[in-house]
Amino acid sequence: MARSDLLVSLVQASASGDSKELATTVEAIIAEERAKQHNVLADRLLRALRSHSMVRRTGYLAAEAGARARDYMLETVPQKRLEDLVLPELCEYACRQLIEEQQRASLLRSHSLEPRHRVLLVGPPGNGKTSLAEALAEALAVQFFVVRYDAVIGSFLGETASRLRRVFEYARTTPCVLFFDEFDAVGKERGDLNETGEIKRVVTSLLMQVDALPSYTVVVAASNHAELLDRAVWRRFQIRLVLPAPTQTQIEQYMKAFGEKMNEPMGIKPETIAKSLGKISYAEAEEFCNGIRRRLALSLGEGCLKSIVSEQLQLWKARAYQSDAI
């Protein structure tokens, strides 16, 4: 059964003759039914929607609006898995709670509750915010959309807010994870006297759109500069997680997991590698491991993994030394 608010919106749109709202509401119901694997019902609703005279007249406009909205997002196939990430214990627990709530949304709705679907990730760059958003999409088996600021942010009055509205309208039509990286670019503090009135209007519109999202659309926002976010932004997000820079122990765990995936022993202990790498981010740890994979692939099976790891460590130390010198 579709959610009560969608049914109310459906009746109101039909009574008022608002064909655009009617189509949007039915599309949201179809998306929700497909998420529940009720594909027969979803197909029947889709056929009914296409046969509706009012909707047929606006079908081209709706398709055109959807196409424009997709110009402002990148759709990627989620590859990261939650099991592949090294996360703080409480952070992982909160994510698994979110996944369970989304997967068992029907049970929650039978108790007049909705699953949480708004997540804010903060922390220094390169420590897994984007990877975590992608892993949530993979775990939920939904589409992963990344908002493109280069396409969304415009120079004319009201242009940015209008484009963001199209993004949210499209995200409402399908279960997905909608990811805002560098969220402070559009969610800045409105009390900043150095900002123009336009960014304040954008933030106000953004917050209203976030509030209006249905619970089957999971919105994840990430920021390296939490201090720049508007105070009202924090209240909108039900789950707020800090992803700090990894400790040496966590890098050891990362290297241990990497070594277990290789076909031969690395020959160097994970703790030795972690100590040699020094204080790095997860992104840098991943790049180090990818460097080993590249050399191993190019050796055509003749390379010794221990020698390659040792060689890459030497190169890494030289890189760190040069960086310090600069």
Side-chain angles (χ1 to χ4, degrees):
M1 174 64 69
R3 299 183 320 166
S4 58
D5 59 334
L6 289 177
L7 293 175
V8 171
S9 296
L10 182 65
V11 173
Q12 290 175 338
S14 182
S16 63
D18 188 343
S19 56
K20 182 179 179 182
E21 181 63 25
L22 175 64
T24 300
T25 304
V26 175
E27 287 170 351
I29 294 175
I30 291 171
E32 192 165 82
E33 294 305 319
R34 288 203 188 282
K36 298 174 186 175
Q37 303 300 316
H38 298 166
N39 293 316
V40 174
L41 175 57
D43 290 339
R44 290 179 62 189
L45 288 170
L46 184 59
R47 287 195 296 270
L49 177 64
R50 287 173 175 169
S51 65
H52 197 289
S53 59
M54 287 193 304
V55 174
R56 278 204 306 267
R57 291 198 296 269
T58 58
Y60 173 74
L61 294 177
E64 186 181 32
R68 288 200 303 268
R70 292 180 76 99
D71 290 338
Y72 306 136
M73 300 180 290
L74 292 174
E75 180 181 358
T76 60
V77 178
Q79 300 291 337
K80 302 285 187 181
R81 299 188 309 154
L82 202 60
E83 294 77 11
D84 297 333
L85 306 180
V86 180
L87 298 170
E89 184 177 350
L90 290 177
C91 180
E92 182 177 354
Y93 181 63
C95 291
R96 294 200 180 279
Q97 278 192 340
L98 172 71
I99 293 167
E100 182 184 15
E101 289 175 19
Q102 286 289 325
Q103 292 175 336
R104 306 180 69 187
S106 297
L107 176 59
L108 290 176
R109 287 170 188 144
S110 69
H111 292 273
S112 300
L113 296 168
E114 288 293 327
R116 290 175 292 176
H117 64 111
R118 300 191 293 268
V119 184
L120 178 63
L121 306 175
V122 298
N127 290 304
K129 296 186 291 295
T130 302
S131 295
L132 180 54
E134 184 178 340
L136 288 174
E138 193 277 336
L140 295 172
V142 298
Q143 294 170 290
F144 183 52
F145 296 125
V146 181
V147 178
R148 292 177 50 205
Y149 293 133
D150 61 316
V152 167
I153 298 176
S155 57
F156 296 105
L157 185 66
E159 194 173 32
T160 302
S162 175
R163 290 172 177 175
L164 278 172
R165 185 165 56 253
R166 290 175 192 166
V167 168
F168 280 104
E169 285 176 354
Y170 183 80
R172 286 175 60 89
T173 66
T174 181
C176 65
V177 170
L178 181 63
F179 181 55
F180 287 84
D181 199 6
E182 307 291 349
F183 191 61
D184 45 275
V186 290
K188 285 186 178 180
E189 171 61 57
R190 285 171 290 182
D192 189 346
L193 299 178
N194 296 320
E195 292 296 342
T196 63
E198 172 67 1
I199 192 64
K200 295 177 182 178
R201 285 188 288 271
V202 168
V203 174
T204 300
S205 174
L206 176 67
L207 296 178
M208 292 174 63
Q209 295 295 332
V210 169
D211 282 340
L213 277 177
S215 60
Y216 56 79
T217 299
V218 178
V219 58
V220 181
S223 176
N224 302 329
H225 302 284
E227 71 281 0
L228 298 180
L229 294 176
D230 189 270
R231 284 168 289 181
V233 166
W234 292 87
R235 185 178 65 80
R236 258 65 181 193
F237 290 89
Q238 302 138 320
I239 299 176
R240 301 188 286 266
L241 302 174
V242 178
L243 295 181
T247 63
Q248 184 174 321
T249 300
Q250 288 171 324
I251 295 296
E252 287 178 19
Q253 294 173 358
Y254 189 95
M255 292 301 159
K256 182 179 180 181
F258 169 72
E260 290 172 350
K261 296 176 183 177
M262 306 305 288
N263 294 326
E264 60 180 292
M266 289 195 295
I268 303 177
K269 293 182 179 179
E271 52 267 33
T272 302
I273 297 175
K275 186 175 180 180
S276 299
L277 292 175
K279 192 172 181 60
I280 60 172
S281 66
Y282 283 120
E284 290 173 310
E286 183 179 27
E287 180 55 35
F288 174 78
C289 293
N290 286 338
I292 294 173
R293 290 193 181 101
R294 292 188 192 99
R295 301 316 307 167
L296 198 59
L298 291 172
S299 70
L300 299 177
E302 296 181 359
C304 171
L305 181 57
K306 180 179 179 180
S307 299
I308 291 174
V309 172
S310 179
E311 175 187 84
Q312 292 303 305
L313 279 176
Q314 291 298 321
L315 290 173
W316 190 271
K317 289 178 181 178
R319 165 183 161 173
Y321 174 78
Q322 290 166 0
S323 176
D324 291 342
I326 291 172

